[in-house]
Each structure stands twice: as C-alpha cells, then as structure tokens.
Amino acid sequence: MRYLLGSRFRGAFLGGLLGETLAKSSHPQHPVVSNFAESLVPGATSLVQLGKFNLDDWLEIYQKKFTDLEPAKIIFATIPLSLFCHENPVKLHQNLLQILKNWDIDPEVRDSTLAIGYAIAQSLTEKLHPQSLIPQIIAFIGETTTPLPQNLLKVNNLLTKKAGLEILQCELNSQTQLSEGVALAFYYFLSTLEDFPLTVSRTIHHQQIWKHNAVINSQDISIIAAVLSGVYNSSVSIPASWRVLLTREFSQISPMLELADALAIAWSGVYKPGLNLPEFPQEENFTPCVYAAPRVIKAR
C-alpha cells in the first residue's frame, strides 16, 4: 500500500480544512463561509459511535443542526460516508442515494456527490487511474439528465490534450451550475495528481475567476479539490507551514484529526470498549484492544 489508510482519512479532513482556510485568508474581501468542519463532523461522529451507517440517526442529527442544507454542505456531509464505505462500490452507491433521497436534493447535487464519493473510494482502494477515472465516474452515476457527465467529459478530453485552464474556462463558460464547479475541481485535482500543494495553490490563485458562481462558490471548489487530493496523496503530502497555519487558524484541529483516526478505526473493525465521541472527539489516545478485518467483529 502506497499510503496508510489512516493517513488518507486524515488527508481528506485536513485537505478540506486547508482548502477552506487558505481560500479565506487569500481573499478576505469575499466573506463566504462554507463551514466544512461543521458539515462533516456530525456524520463522521455518527459512523464512529454506531460503527455503521444509520439513516435515521443521520436524518435526526442533521435536522437538528441545519435548517437548510446547501449543495456544498450536502457534499461535505457525505464525505465521511464515502470514506467509510469505500471498499464496497455497491454499498457506497446505495448508502449515498439513500441519504440523498431522504434529503430530497436536486439531481445535480446527487450526481456531484456520487462523483466525489466514487473518486474518494478509488483513491482509498488505490485503483484511481487518471485516464479512466472520469468514464468510471459517469458509469457510477448512471443515467441522468444533469450536465455533470458532459462537463466531466470536457475535463477528461482537455486533460488528454494537456490543455490549460484558460481553454477549460471557455468550455465551461463559468456559469452558475454546480456541475461546472465540480468539474473544475476535478480538473485541478487530475491535472496535478501527485502534488497536493500545487493543486490547492492553483485553486486559490484562480478564485477570482469563479467568484460570481451562485450555486457553488470558489471556496467550495477549493475545498473539493483539496479533499480529493488529500485522500489521494494522504496527510504526509501537506507542507509543514500549512499545518502551522491550520493549527493557528482552526482551534479544533487536534479533535478533527482524532475524529479522522476514529473513523478509520471504526471502519477497520477494531473494537474499543467505551468509545464515545461527542460532536468533537475528546483528546485521548485511541488505543485499539482487538484487531479484526472488516465485518469480522460487526457487520456494516
């Protein structure tokens, strides 16, 4: 295995936080708040506490926490579920559709969530190949009337031709569609696949281009690209200077990392008596008592 699974889980959490933090600090004149952590933590905590996905629990906790789930918040909320179900594409597809159907979301949000979830799963199983990822994503989404598959195909074709961002801008027209923002995030990720700092830096540098997007803002695009790259390249790819910045700007960084570790432990089938996480995990050492392969101790 190229990177430890726990490091990839951490990469997803840290990547999203960095994408948000760097976007805010680079463009303070755009007071957009995505609340990546606020969206992600309840679902991750539920998975850790129950050791499985429970639809009723998710509906209850998110109904209490949010009066309105915006498209980006829905995508961020489902990231822990994609991490947790990554080894089983069928189960991943079913669980994502189950929660999205009950949230009664727009088809474009559904397709975007499925696309990001599938890419996360491919990274975690080390099956992600840039030449075939987008066709596989389109197959995973299935029949749809949304423009996301077409926009992803544009990205795929331009990546094959090694086209620059300027050409992609002309192809996507920088309109207000969610699918265009998600396609752009995939472009940033796949065009600099092995370089997390470059992927995130490019999203920050080009924020000004997409600031008028009404459905998904430039900050959300940065977060999505950073999550995808963080999962693929793991937390070890994150520069030390950025970690320092994140620690300074985000007071809950240590509990967030512990939550990522706890999620990896819960997925793996490790059993620890008394594991009980509040909204943010307490600072404690998650030392597992028993090791087992997935589904050996408990079925998911």
Side-chain angles (χ1 to χ4, degrees):
M1 180 174 286
R2 186 181 177 196
Y3 297 113
L4 293 175
L5 198 70
S7 183
R8 291 186 188 271
F9 276 51
R10 281 187 163 214
F13 282 47
L14 286 178
L17 291 173
L18 274 169
E20 182 176 52
T21 302
L22 292 172
K24 288 179 180 178
S25 60
S26 298
H27 297 274
Q29 70 274 24
H30 302 149
V32 179
V33 179
S34 295
N35 294 322
F36 174 76
E38 183 183 12
S39 304
L40 173 142
V41 166
T45 303
S46 174
L47 291 168
V48 171
Q49 288 178 331
L50 302 180
K52 62 180 181 179
F53 170 62
N54 184 288
L55 177 62
D56 293 335
D57 191 54
W58 274 56
L59 294 176
E60 181 180 356
I61 59 177
Y62 278 100
Q63 186 177 14
K64 289 179 179 179
K65 193 165 187 63
F66 296 101
T67 56
D68 180 33
L69 275 173
E70 301 167 2
K73 288 183 178 180
I74 291 173
I75 292 174
F76 303 153
T78 57
I79 287 173
L81 185 57
S82 298
L83 293 169
F84 196 75
C85 301
H86 71 270
E87 84 282 7
N88 190 331
V90 175
K91 196 71 171 178
L92 172 63
H93 194 271
Q94 291 175 344
N95 286 343
L96 286 176
L97 285 183
Q98 192 177 19
I99 186 65
L100 294 172
K101 180 180 179 181
N102 279 272
W103 277 341
D104 194 24
I105 49 83
D106 182 88
E108 204 164 346
V109 180
R110 176 201 64 208
D111 291 354
S112 299
T113 302
L114 289 173
I116 293 166
Y118 183 82
I120 288 173
Q122 291 297 97
S123 289
L124 290 170
T125 54
E126 300 195 337
K127 296 178 181 178
L128 192 153
H129 302 289
Q131 296 81 8
S132 59
L133 176 63
I134 286 178
Q136 290 172 346
I137 286 175
I138 293 173
F140 186 74
I141 292 173
E143 292 187 13
T144 182
T145 58
T146 73
L148 181 61
Q150 289 80 6
N151 285 326
L152 287 175
L153 282 175
K154 290 177 183 178
V155 169
N156 195 51
N157 293 335
L158 293 175
L159 287 171
T160 301
K161 298 175 182 177
K162 301 186 184 303
L165 181 63
E166 293 76 13
I167 298 177
L168 179 63
Q169 288 174 231
C170 296
E171 291 284 338
L172 296 181
N173 297 319
S174 187
Q175 297 298 317
T176 59
Q177 298 298 319
L178 172 65
S179 64
E180 293 175 343
V182 173
L184 182 63
F186 271 96
Y187 173 83
Y188 285 127
F189 167 52
L190 292 174
S191 60
T192 51
L193 186 64
E194 303 285 343
D195 196 330
F196 175 85
L198 183 57
T199 296
V200 178
S201 296
R202 292 178 75 203
T203 67
I204 304 304
H205 178 71
H206 292 109
Q207 267 197 72
Q208 188 72 21
I209 300 170
W210 299 84
K211 69 178 182 178
H212 298 298
N213 196 317
V215 177
I216 181 170
N217 59 64
S218 57
Q219 183 175 294
D220 296 331
I221 295 172
S222 298
I223 294 172
I224 294 170
V227 167
L228 293 173
S229 187
V231 174
Y232 183 83
N233 293 294
S234 84
S235 61
V236 301
S237 66
I238 299 175
S241 59
W242 284 6
R243 288 174 178 266
V244 172
L245 171 65
L246 196 56
T247 302
R248 185 172 65 246
E249 297 291 331
F250 189 74
S251 60
Q252 297 284 0
I253 182 62
S254 179
M256 282 290 288
L257 288 176
E258 291 177 2
L259 181 57
D261 293 341
L263 185 61
I265 288 172
W267 169 85
S268 69
V270 174
Y271 173 71
K272 182 183 187 302
L275 183 62
N276 184 24
L277 293 172
E279 182 177 359
F280 280 142
Q282 298 295 327
E283 294 190 13
E284 61 173 303
N285 183 20
F286 290 106
T287 305
C289 299
V290 180
Y291 293 83
R295 300 195 183 95
V296 171
I297 290 180
K298 54 193 175 193
R300 290 204 303 279

